[in-house]
Amino acid sequence: MSEVVKKNLPHSFDIEEAVIGAMLVDKNGVEEAMQVIKDSSAFYDPKHIEIFEAIQKLYSNSEPIDLLTVAKQLRSNDSSVGPEEIVSISQKIVSSAHVEYHSMILLQYRIRRMIVMFNTSVTVAAMDETVDVFDLIARWQNEFDSVADVITKGRASVSIYETMKELTKRIEFISKSTGDNSITGIPTGFKRIDRFTSGYQPGDLIILAARPGMGKTSLVLKTVLENAKVGNAVGFYSLEMDRVQLTGKIVANDTNYHLKQLLKTGFDKPQYWESYMVEHNPRISDYPIHIVDEGGGDISDIVVQARQWKRKYGIKLLVVDYLQLVGDKTKKGNRENEVSSVSRRFKLLAKELKIPVIVLAQLSRAVESRPNKRPLLSDLRESGSIEQDADIVQFIYRPDYYSIEIEGNHEYEEMVSEGANTEVIFAKYRGGSTGTTNLKWIGDKTKFVDPTDPNESVSKLPDGNVYNNSSQIVGDLPNATDVFGDGSPF
């Protein structure tokens, strides 16, 4: 950066002197300033920086702060600032009445300087054709994160009086929500899971984990669809599946089509195609679902995209598929540290955007080596920090995945009696108790349904019709026998 730019960076000598002076004449001024200013980078003038660092040193050692002790600490630091200079600053201040306000102004100047400096450096780098543009974008994002950190560090604390008012509003809202529809967050798409969680809550990080092929994407797509239908915009960041495959799963989940019809065989009768185009294509095309399948796998790329979705569409839910494919360029070399950083940033993103973030995850092969195949928290691959950062950890367990017969098996009596074949295990639930609920997996349609919800029971639908999850039977569409001859799943 040129010397001209450095000399003209945003700053205010008068405000810096006002803050330093307030800290010199009143110990309360020190306390209030330190709540906002965390380090000397808030100051621009080199002498002011040295004086603040001397005051900060005394403060951290719980030593008295006055003209004499600060002058002594400056000498100890081999500072060029003399006693007469700190006396001159202190004489300009009558009291520390406005020190918190002045400190916030200093913080704003600090942020302005950061923006000017990193924009200048990024601009210079952008002119260099040897610099990778995607690395440049990542660098830009990291710099913006640094600015956000400065803002966060400068926030004042909130009294319990204020937090009690927030809690009271929440209790009032929850108390008015009664019965089966008592959802205080966003709907999950399954009444059983809604009863367990009251919906996924803003700021929550939900880890949905299972072995490959267990149905993680299908389960989360039901949540995506349920929110889209009530107008909640959803962002889906897919690192595993391309957008056409993902859209095929969405359609299969929202209709009674077989996934094979949508992605492999197509329709063999004109009326099937007509029904698809007339009934389902327009309806599903209007859902506020936004998909990325070509972005980088770095956490910074996902953060940038999520913030953009939030600004443009006001997304109420973010889904990432899946965790083990996400990296962090700043933590290369140690995969465990990398995953720890990624999971932490997902949690911070959920809090920042005030939305639930659902991240799919693979379980380790350790599950396969045990007689009891039900997943455990220790099966989460690569990092224990996933468990630590998550508000909810959900596992999917399907006995048929391991060729376990549930009919006549005492262990699965309750599941069979409910017409279910899948356990959704809440292995961690920060907002409630752990436990298990049952769902039904329909393999040929790659979807989960709630077996006790009459609106979900596919077996009760007339053959040849498609259920669109809006309590209506629509169209005249093919059943398995029409298309495959014997109706066997694929």
Side-chain angles (χ1 to χ4, degrees):
M1 182 180 296
S2 69
E3 290 301 318
V4 174
V5 173
K6 287 183 179 179
K7 289 180 181 179
N8 290 281
L9 287 172
H11 64 278
S12 171
F13 287 112
D14 291 339
I15 295 294
E16 290 186 12
E17 285 190 336
V19 173
I20 294 290
M23 298 174 79
L24 289 171
V25 302
D26 188 349
K27 66 177 182 180
N28 290 329
V30 177
E31 296 285 352
E32 291 185 34
M34 288 296 184
Q35 287 295 316
V36 179
I37 302 172
K38 302 303 181 182
D39 58 61
S40 60
S41 64
F43 296 87
Y44 180 77
D45 182 74
K47 291 185 177 181
H48 295 160
I49 291 173
E50 291 185 44
I51 297 171
F52 178 83
E53 288 176 346
I55 294 173
Q56 191 176 42
K57 179 69 172 178
L58 294 169
Y59 180 77
S60 63
N61 292 336
S62 300
E63 297 179 26
I65 297 171
D66 55 38
L67 294 175
L68 293 176
T69 57
V70 172
K72 181 180 178 181
Q73 185 63 48
L74 284 167
R75 288 194 298 273
S76 176
N77 293 348
D78 294 325
S79 172
S80 61
V81 181
E84 66 282 354
E85 291 175 279
I86 60 174
V87 170
S88 174
I89 293 173
S90 67
Q91 289 176 340
K92 297 178 181 180
I93 304 301
V94 177
S95 75
S96 64
H98 305 295
V99 67
E100 182 179 10
Y101 175 71
H102 290 153
S103 297
M104 292 299 295
I105 293 176
L106 279 193
L107 204 62
Q108 291 180 38
Y109 275 116
R110 164 60 175 151
I111 293 169
R112 291 176 185 275
R113 290 196 297 274
M114 290 177 70
I115 292 172
V116 171
M117 288 189 290
F118 84 67
N119 268 331
T120 301
S121 64
V122 168
T123 300
V124 171
M127 300 297 290
D128 185 349
E129 294 186 2
T130 65
V131 176
D132 183 87
V133 68
F134 296 105
D135 288 341
L136 193 61
I137 292 172
R139 175 180 166 187
W140 198 359
Q141 177 59 41
N142 289 334
E143 293 289 354
F144 267 117
D145 288 344
S146 298
V147 172
D149 288 342
V150 171
I151 296 171
T152 302
K153 289 176 182 176
R155 285 178 182 155
S157 62
V158 179
S159 71
I160 195 169
Y161 174 78
E162 295 297 326
T163 60
M164 282 297 292
K165 287 199 296 184
E166 294 176 8
L167 176 61
T168 302
K169 288 181 180 178
R170 180 170 179 81
I171 293 172
E172 182 181 12
F173 175 74
I174 295 172
S175 300
K176 290 178 180 179
S177 302
T178 58
D180 290 341
N181 296 319
S182 56
I183 300 177
T184 58
I186 66 165
T188 68
F190 301 96
K191 288 186 177 180
R192 287 179 163 227
I193 297 180
D194 285 339
R195 284 195 291 267
F196 203 96
T197 63
S198 295
Y200 293 139
Q201 305 299 315
D204 275 2
L205 172 60
I206 300 101
I207 301 294
L208 175 59
R211 288 293 294 149
M214 193 71 75
K216 298 183 295 295
T217 305
S218 297
L219 185 69
V220 81
L221 283 179
K222 184 63 185 299
T223 302
V224 169
L225 283 164
E226 191 68 20
N227 279 276
K229 289 173 184 177
V230 297
N232 290 339
V234 180
F236 199 113
Y237 205 102
S238 177
L239 294 169
E240 182 181 37
M241 196 177 301
D242 72 45
R243 57 182 178 267
V244 175
Q245 289 177 311
L246 186 61
T247 303
K249 281 205 166 190
I250 289 172
V251 174
N253 214 302
D254 198 39
T255 67
N256 208 24
Y257 288 120
H258 291 251
L259 184 62
K260 189 173 182 179
Q261 291 172 289
L262 300 169
L263 297 179
K264 294 182 179 180
T265 65
F267 304 131
D268 61 356
K269 296 180 182 179
Q271 62 265 37
Y272 299 164
W273 171 255
E274 182 181 354
S275 184
Y276 165 79
M277 291 300 294
V278 173
E279 298 287 351
H280 303 294
N281 190 319
R283 174 174 54 82
I284 297 174
S285 295
D286 283 340
Y287 289 163
I289 301 172
H290 309 281
I291 300 169
V292 163
D293 69 339
E294 297 177 348
D298 191 80
I299 180 63
S300 294
D301 298 328
I302 298 172
V303 169
V304 170
Q305 183 63 69
R307 287 171 175 166
Q308 185 184 59
W309 276 333
K310 182 67 174 178
R311 286 195 306 271
K312 291 182 66 176
Y313 308 114
I315 60 168
K316 298 295 179 66
L317 171 66
L318 173 67
V319 178
V320 179
D321 186 8
Y322 60 90
L323 180 65
Q324 281 77 19
L325 295 179
V326 181
D328 185 344
K329 293 177 182 177
T330 67
K331 303 291 181 181
K332 290 295 184 184
N334 185 313
R335 182 56 184 166
E336 184 170 338
N337 289 342
E338 193 173 359
V339 173
S340 296
S341 174
V342 167
S343 66
R344 185 59 187 156
R345 289 191 68 180
F346 274 132
K347 175 57 184 173
L348 293 175
L349 182 63
K351 291 178 67 177
E352 175 192 336
L353 302 184
K354 295 181 174 60
I355 61 173
V357 174
I358 304 177
V359 181
L360 278 55
Q362 300 277 28
L363 293 177
S364 70
R365 290 189 178 89
V367 179
E368 317 289 344
S369 62
R370 296 195 303 264
N372 187 338
K373 309 296 185 184
R374 286 185 178 86
L376 304 171
L377 286 172
S378 58
D379 296 323
L380 285 170
R381 289 173 56 183
E382 296 178 320
S383 176
S385 66
I386 302 173
E387 174 189 348
Q388 176 182 319
D389 293 326
D391 296 280
I392 297 175
V393 177
Q394 278 180 232
F395 295 135
I396 303 172
Y397 170 64
R398 287 178 21 228
D400 69 324
Y401 181 90
Y402 300 103
S403 301
I404 297 173
E405 181 59 51
I406 63 174
E407 295 288 343
N409 189 326
H410 176 73
E411 184 179 355
Y412 301 103
E413 278 183 0
E414 181 180 351
M415 179 189 288
V416 172
S417 68
E418 294 175 347
N421 58 13
T422 303
E423 292 180 357
V424 177
I425 302 167
F426 290 85
K428 178 187 177 182
Y429 185 18
R430 186 169 283 149
S433 59
T434 58
T436 300
T437 191
N438 297 324
L439 298 176
K440 182 174 182 178
W441 166 251
I442 304 173
D444 56 350
K445 298 177 180 64
T446 62
K447 65 194 292 186
F448 288 95
V449 298
D450 186 338
T452 60
D453 184 350
N455 291 331
E456 290 279 19
S457 183
V458 174
S459 62
K460 294 181 181 180
L461 296 176
D463 287 341
N465 290 288
V466 170
Y467 178 60
N468 72 353
N469 290 334
S470 60
S471 300
Q472 295 178 350
I473 301 298
V474 295
D476 181 16
L477 297 173
N479 58 29
T481 304
D482 291 333
V483 177
F484 304 111
D486 61 356
S488 61
F490 54 90

